[in-house]
Amino acid sequence: MRILLGVSAGIAAYKSALLLRLLTEAGHDVRVVPTRASFEFVGRATWEALSGQPVTSEVFEDVPSVEHVRLGKSADLVIVAPATADLLARAAAGRSDDLLTAALLTARCPVLMAPAMHTEMWEHPATRANVATLRSRGVTVLEPASGRLTGVDSGPGRLPEPAEIAAAALALVGEGSSPGETDLAGRHVVVSAGGTREPLDPVRFLGNRSTGRQGYALAAAAARRGASVTVVAANVSLADPVGATVVHVETTAELRDRVRAAAVDADVVVMAAAVADFTPARPAEHKIKKSAGDEGLTLELVRTPDVLAELATARLRPGQVVVGFAAETGDDDGDVLEHGRAKARRKGADLLVVNAVGPGLGFAVAENAVTVVDAQGRDVARASGSKDAVADVVWDAVVPLLAPPAEAAADGAPPLG
Ligand code: CTP
């Protein structure tokens, strides 16, 4: 496929070098078109070396081949990453004062923009209006991720990870990491992601380190494979997975309600969220203050419902496949897999995805390594690598357990004749 990769002048331009790598390694022919100012961040040599193609920002170079028309018209997909506030404004206004904006006017293929800028710029009414204009014309403008920005500030405005941008862009032209796989077409899947937070008082909570990356990768993979996807996201600040409906929640109680509501007509429920096992018995109405002489604070916690075990017992829709995750560290009583197998037998889910967590493992890192076990704790599959690769292995294990589509569709329908 011929991809035009536009790069505008943001500090995140260096991440596009990785994006370019992902696209060329997947066999695509990528032509990089940076804006003039973006050369302040990444130089021409980098783009030319990585793409193996000449690179220019100018309309007035190589005039005889009318590059701005040829590039736009011949592209099968355009990706702009990072898309700065200025680039969004110029694209929304239909300007053509450099090769990238001119090519955007001549392109007739799907266009995806991945914005990156400071939160204030992203939230400014001018930028909001430009994004709305572009979206109304059919351009896919990703939501930026939240997190640390260039300075000391943090908030929405980070460029999504290169793998997420590549997956979202390729999904626009019907190409995913499993090209041609539509084995979840016609299925509704629910994925919980992230980590729940239990309030101690109006400003504090008990939480965990889950970022939601694995859950989001599962949701994106399911959407690529044709499913209709609902994500119940607990405190996740990543860009929404393409093709999924995302419901944001904070606490275990909210997560339980929203997962159960969505699960009523789901073929599969995957509990990838890290759910708090305990919640404060009586969250304080006002901020907890320390008094002179206080040497410690004792909190009374009560058990939360086990959402996964409940779903496995209730099977809110006949034939529903229920999948859990087991985040384990291993201890004196057993290693990661021993704990995982025991948990599989306890929870009653059809599949349990066991992964080791701890410093540099599982949570908040791009890579993951898992063993998928069945309800008896027997190995079904193993996967390691990117969270996207792991997600596809999990779906590969789920698909054989699904009731045939006709049977699933007939559930609850009155008998014919
Ligand atoms: N889970 C859940 N509800 C809870 C706790 C966990 O639905 N209250 C789900 C998680 O989403 C995950 C699975 O159960 O799919 C296992 O979570 P994990 O934290 O590994 O296990 P726990 O049930 O908390 O067991 P333990 O405390 O023994 O590790």
Side-chain angles (χ1 to χ4, degrees), residues 96-189:
S96 56
D97 43 3
D98 60 8
L99 186 57
L100 176 56
T101 47
L104 283 170
L105 289 180
T106 55
R108 292 293 175 269
C109 58
V111 177
L112 177 137
M113 299 194 177
M117 64 197 75
H118 284 278
T119 304
E120 291 74 11
M121 298 172 85
W122 174 246
E123 290 175 348
H124 193 282
T127 306
R128 305 310 310 153
N130 291 329
V131 169
T133 302
L134 290 165
R135 285 180 175 158
S136 72
R137 290 187 197 135
V139 174
T140 300
V141 183
L142 295 183
E143 288 295 310
S146 280
R148 180 82 190 267
L149 301 173
T150 314
V152 289
D153 49 343
S154 68
R158 274 172 71 88
L159 188 71
E161 290 309 310
E164 286 169 32
I165 300 172
L170 294 175
L172 290 181
V173 285
E175 273 202 40
S177 56
S178 330
E181 284 273 30
T182 50
D183 48 7
L184 292 172
R187 307 291 190 166
H188 176 208
V189 314

Side-chain angles (χ1 to χ4, degrees), residues 15 36 47 54 108 118 124 136 156 168 180 189-190 215 313 375 380 383 388:
K15 287 194 188 172
R36 272 163 228 137
W47 302 124
R108 292 293 175 269
H118 284 278
H124 193 282
S136 72
V189 314
V190 177
T313 308
V380 174
D388 292 326

Side-chain angles (χ1 to χ4, degrees), residues 239-250:
D240 287 354
V242 172
T245 304
V246 183
V247 180
H248 288 276
V249 298
E250 186 183 351

Side-chain angles (χ1 to χ4, degrees), residues 271 273 275-277 304-308 324-327 343 346-347:
M271 285 293 298
V275 182
D277 290 324
T304 54
D306 189 324
V307 184
L308 176 66
F325 269 69
K343 193 171 283 181
R346 237 180 14 250
K347 295 263 185 181

Side-chain angles (χ1 to χ4, degrees), residues 29-375:
D29 175 10
V30 188
R31 192 56 206 268
V32 185
V33 183
T35 62
R36 272 163 228 137
S38 78
F39 288 132
E40 297 286 336
F41 296 98
V42 178
R44 184 193 306 256
T46 300
W47 302 124
E48 290 194 337
L50 289 178
S51 69
Q53 306 254 25
V55 166
T56 178
S57 306
E58 305 304 328
V59 178
F60 296 108
E61 269 177 37
D62 198 8
V63 174
S65 63
V66 203
E67 276 293 87
H68 63 291
V69 179
R70 196 187 62 77
L71 274 179
K73 280 172 72 172
S74 65
D76 301 305
L77 173 67
V78 175
I79 305 173
V80 183
T84 58
D86 181 64
L87 186 282
L88 293 172
R90 290 193 294 132
R95 300 280 300 270
S96 56
D97 43 3
D98 60 8
L99 186 57
L100 176 56
T101 47
L104 283 170
L105 289 180
T106 55
R108 292 293 175 269
C109 58
V111 177
L112 177 137
M113 299 194 177
M117 64 197 75
H118 284 278
T119 304
E120 291 74 11
M121 298 172 85
W122 174 246
E123 290 175 348
H124 193 282
T127 306
R128 305 310 310 153
N130 291 329
V131 169
T133 302
L134 290 165
R135 285 180 175 158
S136 72
R137 290 187 197 135
V139 174
T140 300
V141 183
L142 295 183
E143 288 295 310
S146 280
R148 180 82 190 267
L149 301 173
T150 314
V152 289
D153 49 343
S154 68
R158 274 172 71 88
L159 188 71
E161 290 309 310
E164 286 169 32
I165 300 172
L170 294 175
L172 290 181
V173 285
E175 273 202 40
S177 56
S178 330
E181 284 273 30
T182 50
D183 48 7
L184 292 172
R187 307 291 190 166
H188 176 208
V189 314
V190 177
V191 179
S192 72
T196 59
R197 292 179 178 175
E198 308 303 310
L200 287 164
D201 68 15
V203 293
R204 303 182 179 98
F205 58 83
L206 293 176
N208 61 68
R209 295 185 196 279
S210 175
T211 58
R213 275 188 205 294
Q214 185 61 75
Y216 272 36
L218 281 156
R224 281 198 300 274
R225 294 169 76 142
S228 118
V229 183
T230 306
V231 180
V232 179
N235 310 295
V236 180
S237 53
L238 304 169
D240 287 354
V242 172
T245 304
V246 183
V247 180
H248 288 276
V249 298
E250 186 183 351
T251 63
T252 300
E254 288 164 7
L255 179 129
R256 175 176 181 266
D257 287 351
R258 303 310 289 260
V259 168
R260 290 180 67 94
V264 169
D265 67 352
D267 298 281
V268 189
V269 186
V270 182
M271 285 293 298
V275 182
D277 290 324
F278 296 94
T279 189
R282 284 170 295 279
E285 209 174 307
H286 304 289
K287 187 178 170 199
I288 300 170
K289 304 290 257 182
K290 60 186 173 306
S291 327
D294 277 353
E295 286 302 323
L297 171 70
T298 304
L299 295 171
E300 189 190 340
L301 305 178
V302 290
R303 278 289 289 270
T304 54
D306 189 324
V307 184
L308 176 66
E310 284 181 353
L311 289 167
T313 308
R315 305 285 163 163
L316 294 172
R317 178 179 168 172
Q320 186 171 73
V321 177
V322 176
V323 182
F325 269 69
E328 302 291 346
T329 59
D331 57 23
D332 293 345
D333 295 329
D335 65 15
V336 168
L337 253 182
E338 282 162 353
H339 278 298
R341 292 188 210 287
K343 193 171 283 181
R345 291 188 282 268
R346 237 180 14 250
K347 295 263 185 181
D350 300 293
L351 296 173
L352 198 72
V353 185
V354 184
N355 69 328
V357 290
L361 277 178
F363 286 169
V365 291
E367 304 267 303
N368 210 356
V370 305
T371 303
V372 183
V373 299
D374 67 13

